[in-house]
Amino acid sequence: MADRVSSLDLWPIGNCQVSGLIDADGALVWGCVPRVDSDPIFCALLNGERQEEGVWRLSLEGQISARQEYRRNSAVLSTVLEAADGSAVEILDFCPRFRRSGRMYRPVAYVRIVRPLAGTPRLSVNLSPKKDYGAEIAPRTNGTNHIRYLVGHQAIRLSTNAPVGYILEGQTFRVESDLHFFLGPDEPFGGNVRQQLEDMLEATEDYWRTWVRGLATPLEWQEAVIRAAITLKLCQHEETGAIVAAMTTSIPEAPGSERNWDYRYCWIRDAYYTVQALNGLGALDVLEKYLAYLRNIIDSARGGRVQPLYSVMGVPELVEEVAENLPGYRGMGPVRVGNDAYTQVQHDAYGQIVLPTIQGFFDLRLFRMADLRDFESLEDVGEMAWKFHDQPDAGLWEFRTRQEVHTYSALMSWAACDRLANAAAHLGLTDRHELWSQRAKAIAEKIDAEAWNEEHGHYASAFGGRHLDASLLQMIELRFHGSGDERFKKTFAAIEQTLRRGEHMLRYDTEDDFGRPETAFNICTFWLIEALYLVGRKDEARELFETMLSHRTRSGLLSEDLDFTSGELWGNFPQTYSLVGIINCAALLSKPWTVAR
């Protein structure tokens, strides 16, 4: 229907192998197979006005309302559709995830269960996956109880106890008992589809509730933290341990801006912040798998340059192209596949490899503790941080047309050397401790000498510069300065005056390759909240945090950007950076558990 408009009012489902996004009417509008960075067989989100292609929609005849919620502490979504005549159905959406036969069962599969709740509901099923990034509807064949779709070089199969003929013809039919749909591998579905999917539902819910039970949540804002944590876990490709920046590509950062990027890859920077936040909650399973991913990246680099991002399989080449057959989010193309940022020089990546890896030398809870061989490999990364700490790069904001010696990159290089010194001391390597300590001190002195702008009285975003960016607020988080340091306080005051827009924060306000930024960057607003708290403005920090929580979607999540005038969310979704902000700020601002005892 032409009146359907794409929105970020979306509900993620997944199992750390495959993921999908469900819209406000219960339609599966985004889902890539067999991985998050693969061809989106469900692409209605980016299909402009063609909302009935690349979708799995269950439509209730005469529908007047829909309400949605996740089942408690899980990634199982419930959508209740109600019709004008009082009839209603519930749709349960999930991707199976549970332990079976001694290993995690997480198939490339989507499960949908439809339960009649009231009256005499009549339903139609539009299952129309596409292939080759929207180029064509996937060809199909069928049997008595299944439909087979050819998507690219593989096939997927729908196994169901619903009438297959009705589905093939898009015919509306009466729902008199529970319907079960399993869209997964192209192989016969053994056993009773109804019973097996009910068992999968119970086991998947049990898995997620057990996982959440192990989280060390703050007292306040627990629901917000739990939903953010579950979603961050869904952004990990468990097979390799990679963590993607978001599940989508090419949601524009601002309307018509063409700031449309493919975020379905593992940025070393974003993943660092993700594991840092989840570590604070005690979710070590995500860290352990990500450390394995990093070890493979380090081995492949062989002491050479580390890229800012890789595919979830660790592939370094991510050539950027345009998917010509997809009009884009609300018709706002281009839709990009791949990301040329992989060719950029971003020196902060070395610090972001070292910082999460260092935990492996200290944390006795880990199944695999880091050892001397790991330290020696990590020193290769540290050598690159030392070598390039004062060299120009594209910076964390990934400027495509200019390079400078970015202060944030130098800070990360300092942190790499500082943490290597800590690990060396822990391992009893006195000479290596001394070496890395001296290097950390030298970089710190260079930052104070080159990044401090005496004329304007603040640190600048680049050596010898005068402009500001929000990443300078990370000086406290990295322990480069304490919140009481006079230079930091002056820098914070300058950042507030220059980059703050009411209740929101820009990443920078200078022109880049596409002009001046038009929207606030959500993680930067969370950095502002942390800084406000740490300099003693605690009430203001709590108030601003509550405001940010009010901007979440009904699913409790955030995208990358926010229009600071209208409050509308923009940018790829769900954005790991933004969810990290929810977790970190809640932990910082919450009252202690002792208050409740």
Side-chain angles (χ1 to χ4, degrees):
M1 295 173 59
D3 59 348
R4 294 189 189 276
V5 178
S6 292
S7 163
L8 292 187
D9 186 8
L10 301 168
W11 301 73
I13 57 172
N15 61 6
C16 304
Q17 172 65 44
V18 70
S19 58
L21 296 174
I22 309 292
D23 75 3
D25 287 317
L28 180 55
V29 296
W30 184 258
C32 304
V33 170
R35 299 189 305 267
V36 66
D37 58 356
S38 301
D39 189 6
I41 64 171
F42 298 112
C43 57
L45 182 66
L46 300 185
N47 212 23
E49 295 183 353
R50 302 198 300 267
Q51 292 293 293
E52 302 311 309
E53 298 178 3
V55 69
W56 189 356
R57 190 181 305 281
L58 305 174
S59 299
L60 179 66
E61 186 176 72
Q63 179 186 327
I64 58 171
S65 69
R67 65 178 187 272
Q68 292 169 295
E69 63 179 355
Y70 285 109
R71 288 202 170 186
R72 181 174 177 267
N73 293 354
S74 80
V76 177
L77 175 65
S78 167
T79 302
V80 175
L81 305 179
E82 297 179 317
D85 64 1
S87 60
V89 296
E90 179 186 31
I91 305 168
L92 295 173
D93 282 297
F94 66 98
C95 297
R97 178 178 173 84
F98 50 88
R99 294 199 69 81
R100 187 174 78 174
S101 301
R103 60 182 178 178
M104 191 62 66
Y105 177 68
R106 43 175 170 77
V108 179
Y110 301 95
V111 173
R112 314 198 78 177
I113 299 175
V114 180
R115 303 198 198 282
L117 298 180
T120 55
R122 290 174 55 79
L123 195 75
S124 63
V125 180
N126 173 13
L127 177 51
S128 57
K130 303 197 79 172
K131 58 184 292 188
D132 300 331
Y133 283 87
E136 61 177 297
I137 298 289
R140 69 188 186 187
T141 58
N142 67 280
T144 305
N145 299 110
H146 77 268
I147 306 174
R148 183 174 180 269
Y149 299 88
L150 183 61
V151 288
H153 301 295
Q154 62 181 341
I156 55 175
R157 179 184 297 230
L158 175 71
S159 299
T160 182
N161 61 353
V164 168
Y166 288 157
I167 299 172
L168 291 169
E169 297 178 15
Q171 185 173 332
T172 302
F173 61 96
R174 186 166 172 169
V175 181
E176 296 185 330
S177 61
D178 291 1
L179 304 177
H180 296 77
F181 303 87
F182 182 89
L183 183 66
D186 182 28
E187 54 194 38
F189 193 94
N192 183 291
V193 65
R194 175 193 299 270
Q195 187 58 54
Q196 288 207 32
L197 295 193
E198 291 291 345
D199 291 344
M200 287 183 186
L201 171 61
E202 182 179 355
T204 298
E205 279 195 271
D206 184 66
Y207 167 81
W208 285 111
R209 288 175 179 170
T210 301
W211 186 79
V212 168
R213 189 169 179 264
L215 299 179
T217 59
L219 174 62
E220 297 182 272
W221 306 294
Q222 287 186 62
E223 288 186 7
V225 169
I226 288 170
R227 184 52 49 197
I230 289 174
T231 308
L232 286 179
K233 185 168 176 62
L234 292 180
C235 287
Q236 181 168 58
H237 185 69
E238 192 168 65
E239 182 181 7
T240 62
I243 301 169
V244 297
M247 292 180 181
T248 60
T249 177
S250 302
I251 309 296
E253 294 180 13
S257 64
E258 296 193 11
R259 296 177 187 264
N260 301 12
W261 313 113
D262 193 347
Y263 275 14
R264 301 171 300 156
Y265 306 111
C266 183
W267 267 260
I268 302 299
R269 178 187 314 113
D270 297 49
Y272 152 68
Y273 283 108
T274 298
V275 297
Q276 177 199 47
L278 290 177
N279 284 349
L281 300 177
L284 293 183
D285 55 331
V286 177
L287 170 67
E288 286 187 308
K289 292 187 180 298
Y290 179 61
L291 291 182
Y293 179 79
L294 281 185
R295 285 191 289 269
N296 279 304
I297 294 298
I298 294 169
D299 288 347
S300 298
R302 300 186 183 281
R305 185 176 74 87
V306 172
Q307 294 179 188
L309 69 154
Y310 296 84
S311 82
V312 296
M313 300 304 293
V315 175
E317 292 82 17
L318 303 171
V319 178
E320 190 174 297
E321 300 174 336
V322 172
E324 301 289 353
N325 294 296
L326 288 175
Y329 181 75
R330 301 182 187 172
M332 299 177 190
V335 172
R336 292 188 171 94
V337 180
N339 198 307
D340 281 346
Y342 83 93
T343 66
Q344 290 187 346
V345 175
Q346 296 178 32
H347 298 319
D348 57 316
Y350 302 113
Q352 286 142 1
I353 286 179
V354 171
L355 266 63
T357 306
I358 288 298
Q359 184 168 342
F361 296 97
F362 295 90
D363 197 332
L364 297 177
R365 297 171 297 172
L366 296 173
F367 286 130
R368 183 193 182 281
M369 295 283 292
D371 56 23
L372 182 59
R373 289 173 300 174
D374 294 313
F375 180 78
E376 291 170 348
S377 294
L378 203 57
E379 280 195 303
D380 290 338
V381 179
E383 289 290 348
M384 299 299 284
W386 169 247
K387 179 179 180 181
F388 292 115
H389 74 271
D390 59 354
Q391 299 301 303
D393 70 352
L396 82 161
W397 308 124
E398 299 183 344
F399 298 116
R400 294 196 169 199
T401 58
R402 70 174 189 264
Q403 291 194 344
E404 297 178 284
V405 181
H406 287 94
T407 304
Y408 178 82
S409 296
L411 284 167
M412 276 295 174
S413 294
W414 166 81
C417 296
D418 179 73
R419 300 332 188 249
L420 280 168
N422 293 345
H426 181 72
L427 294 171
L429 304 174
T430 305
D431 58 334
R432 307 312 292 169
H433 167 71
E434 182 64 26
L435 173 69
W436 290 111
S437 295
Q438 290 176 355
R439 287 178 171 180
K441 180 181 178 182
I443 296 175
E445 291 173 350
K446 179 68 69 72
I447 292 171
D448 280 334
E450 301 292 337
W452 179 259
N453 185 301
E454 188 65 39
E455 179 183 355
H456 292 87
H458 60 70
Y459 285 104
S461 61
F463 283 14
R466 62 182 180 84
H467 296 297
L468 294 153
D469 79 53
S471 68
L472 294 170
L473 297 177
Q474 289 290 280
M475 285 183 165
I476 303 179
E477 173 64 30
L478 293 172
R479 303 199 303 270
F480 184 81
H481 277 317
S483 58
D485 181 87
E486 285 301 317
R487 284 190 166 192
F488 174 78
K489 288 195 291 187
K490 290 179 180 178
T491 301
F492 178 37
I495 288 174
E496 265 204 286
Q497 182 178 1
T498 305
L499 302 182
R500 187 169 178 175
R501 299 292 184 272
E503 297 170 325
H504 307 286
M505 179 73 80
L506 301 180
R507 48 190 158 175
Y508 50 84
D509 72 342
T510 55
E511 288 197 5
D512 60 17
D513 317 329
F514 293 82
R516 288 181 181 272
E518 303 172 57
T519 50
F521 207 66
N522 289 327
I523 185 60
C524 295
T525 304
F526 287 118
W527 289 348
L528 168 64
I529 293 168
E530 291 173 347
L532 287 171
Y533 180 88
L534 292 170
V535 300
R537 294 158 62 182
K538 297 183 179 181
D539 291 342
E540 187 178 353
R542 288 179 63 92
E543 183 178 347
L544 188 53
F545 182 53
E546 291 284 3
T547 298
M548 282 302 294
L549 292 181
S550 73
H551 288 297
R552 292 174 299 158
T553 61
R554 292 185 305 128
S555 59
L557 305 173
L558 289 167
S559 62
E560 181 182 49
D561 307 274
L562 189 147
D563 186 315
F564 47 80
T565 301
S566 70
E568 184 172 8
L569 292 172
W570 290 89
N572 283 305
F573 180 91
Q575 178 71 21
T576 54
Y577 254 164
S578 302
L579 304 184
V580 162
I582 292 174
I583 293 172
N584 287 346
C585 285
L588 183 66
L589 303 179
S590 175
K591 298 173 184 176
W593 274 96
T594 53
V595 172
R597 294 175 186 152

